[in-house]
């Protein structure tokens, strides 16, 4: 499998906006000197994608915000390494579902605008399989949505990877929602819902679905997010009819 490693991929926060990147550094403890060069790359990429994010916000996200989501999404939850990815991979083959893909997660604020460029750029860099479990890897592979949330807000378990000395803080904020005010929780819910609306809208757009007069909603959402295990009551506030599939390692 070593020969499949095609080089370092861009950091997943390269698609975030500069203000968000600064807030993360202030919240989780800043950057150690030996990683300032990597942080500078994230900052440069963040600024360079500003026109694309602005265009997408005006051109596409305004449409996505009017999407009425299916009232009963499906959330795969449970502890990591319990089989989430395989379950997600299998269920994603059902055409009734709108699924968060790797493409949606790497650039959640501008993937629609940059899709052709991103596909050409990452096609030469992506491994054929994931090195942790050998599942197929591509831009269309199902992906956990908390990965995208790392670029959209400060409530994501993946901030523990960027700021490992603040991993417990990131865990408590993202999984348990500890230390968050009601306004911050509502902001996270709005951001999360907005991202899922965009995924549902894009899925229907790419499938060229023709909405019949009696069809008021898009495809049913299928989400994989172990972080939601600790915040099911808050997810139910957003989707009272949601279904949860909890996985447990044997």
């Amino acid at each position: 499998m070593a020969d499949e490693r095609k080089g370092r991929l861009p950091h997943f926060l390269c698609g975030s906006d500069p203000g968000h990147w600064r807030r993360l550094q202030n919240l989780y403890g800043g950057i150690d000197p030996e990683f300032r060069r990597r942080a500078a790359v994230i900052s440069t990429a963040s600024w360079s994608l500003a026109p694309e994010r602005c265009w997408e916000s005006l051109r596409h996200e305004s449409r996505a915000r009017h999407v009425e989501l299916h009232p009963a999404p499906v959330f795969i939850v449970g502890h990591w390494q319990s089989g989430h990815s395989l379950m997600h991979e299998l269920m994603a083959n059902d055409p009734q579902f709108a699924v968060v893909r790797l493409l949606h997660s790497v650039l959640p604020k501008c993937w629609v605008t940059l899709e052709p460029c991103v596909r050409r750029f990452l096609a030469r860099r992506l491994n054929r399989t994931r090195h942790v479990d050998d599942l197929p890897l591509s831009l269309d592979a199902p992906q956990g949505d908390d990965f995208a949330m790392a670029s959209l807000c400060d409530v994501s378990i993946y901030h523990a990877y960027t700021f490992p000395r603040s991993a417990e803080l990131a865990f408590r904020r993202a999984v348990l929602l500890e230390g968050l005010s009601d306004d911050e929780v509502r902001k996270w819910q709005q951001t999360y819902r907005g991202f899922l609306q965009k995924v549902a809208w894009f899925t229907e757009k790419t499938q060229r679905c023709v909405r019949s007069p009696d069809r008021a909603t898009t495809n049913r959402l299928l989400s994989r997010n172990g972080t939601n295990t600790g915040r099911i009551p808050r997810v139910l506030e957003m989707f009272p009819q949601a279904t949860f599939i909890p996985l447990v390692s044997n």
Side-chain angles (χ1 to χ4, degrees):
M1 294 175 63
D3 58 344
E4 294 181 356
R5 298 298 297 272
K6 299 185 179 182
R8 184 186 295 276
L9 293 173
H11 193 280
F12 56 83
L13 288 176
C14 285
S16 61
D17 67 71
H20 176 58
W21 175 225
R22 286 194 301 271
R23 286 192 297 273
L24 291 178
Q25 295 177 58
N26 293 332
L27 177 61
Y28 292 113
I31 306 298
D32 290 349
E34 60 266 36
F35 296 109
R36 285 176 181 168
R37 181 176 179 181
R38 189 177 301 179
V41 172
I42 297 174
S43 298
T44 301
S46 178
W47 280 106
S48 66
L49 291 174
E52 287 79 6
R53 287 194 302 271
C54 182
W55 169 256
E56 184 140 325
S57 177
L58 296 172
R59 182 73 174 86
H60 300 298
E61 291 187 357
S62 57
R63 297 180 180 180
R65 282 193 290 268
H66 292 91
V67 167
E68 183 179 351
L69 292 173
H70 191 286
V74 177
F75 293 95
I76 302 173
V77 298
H79 199 280
W80 288 267
Q81 302 306 313
S82 297
H84 299 95
S85 299
L86 179 58
M87 175 69 77
H88 202 191
E89 188 87 28
L90 295 174
M91 293 185 67
N93 291 302
D94 190 330
Q96 73 167 299
F97 291 120
V99 181
V100 177
R101 310 283 180 178
L102 182 59
L103 171 66
H104 309 149
S105 297
V106 293
L107 291 171
K109 293 291 290 182
C110 52
W111 88 72
V112 182
T113 302
L114 292 177
E115 180 187 7
C117 299
V118 172
R119 288 189 179 278
R120 286 195 297 270
F121 177 76
L122 292 183
R124 300 189 300 271
R125 292 167 172 81
L126 278 179
N127 299 334
R128 292 191 298 274
T129 59
R130 304 190 337 170
H131 68 275
V132 296
D133 52 22
D134 214 29
L135 281 174
L137 181 64
S138 71
L139 283 176
D140 297 312
Q143 176 65 43
D145 48 50
D146 217 48
F147 193 78
M149 292 296 288
S151 292
L152 298 174
C153 69
D154 55 28
V155 182
S156 171
I157 192 61
Y158 287 98
H159 295 318
Y161 294 89
T162 307
F163 304 95
R165 281 209 291 266
S166 299
E168 182 174 353
L169 174 61
F171 167 81
R172 292 187 175 278
R173 287 176 57 84
V175 181
L176 306 178
L177 300 180
E178 284 186 2
L180 272 64
S181 66
D182 290 341
D183 286 342
E184 289 175 316
V185 172
R186 281 193 293 270
K187 184 177 180 181
W188 163 74
Q189 290 174 323
Q190 291 169 359
T191 303
Y192 193 15
R193 186 180 185 89
F195 173 68
L196 295 178
Q197 283 179 302
K198 188 175 177 182
V199 170
W201 167 79
F202 186 74
T203 300
E204 187 162 346
K205 175 177 177 291
T206 54
Q207 290 179 348
R208 294 184 172 86
C209 294
V210 178
R211 193 178 291 187
S212 60
D214 60 340
R215 185 183 177 203
T217 58
T218 58
N219 297 54
R220 189 179 188 184
L221 280 162
L222 173 65
S223 162
R224 175 179 104 235
N225 193 332
T227 316
N228 279 337
T229 308
R231 54 195 190 196
I232 288 177
R234 292 297 193 175
V235 176
L236 284 171
E237 291 176 1
M238 304 163 58
F239 304 104
Q241 300 179 49
T243 297
F244 295 88
I245 303 176
L247 297 184
V248 180
S249 294
N250 186 335

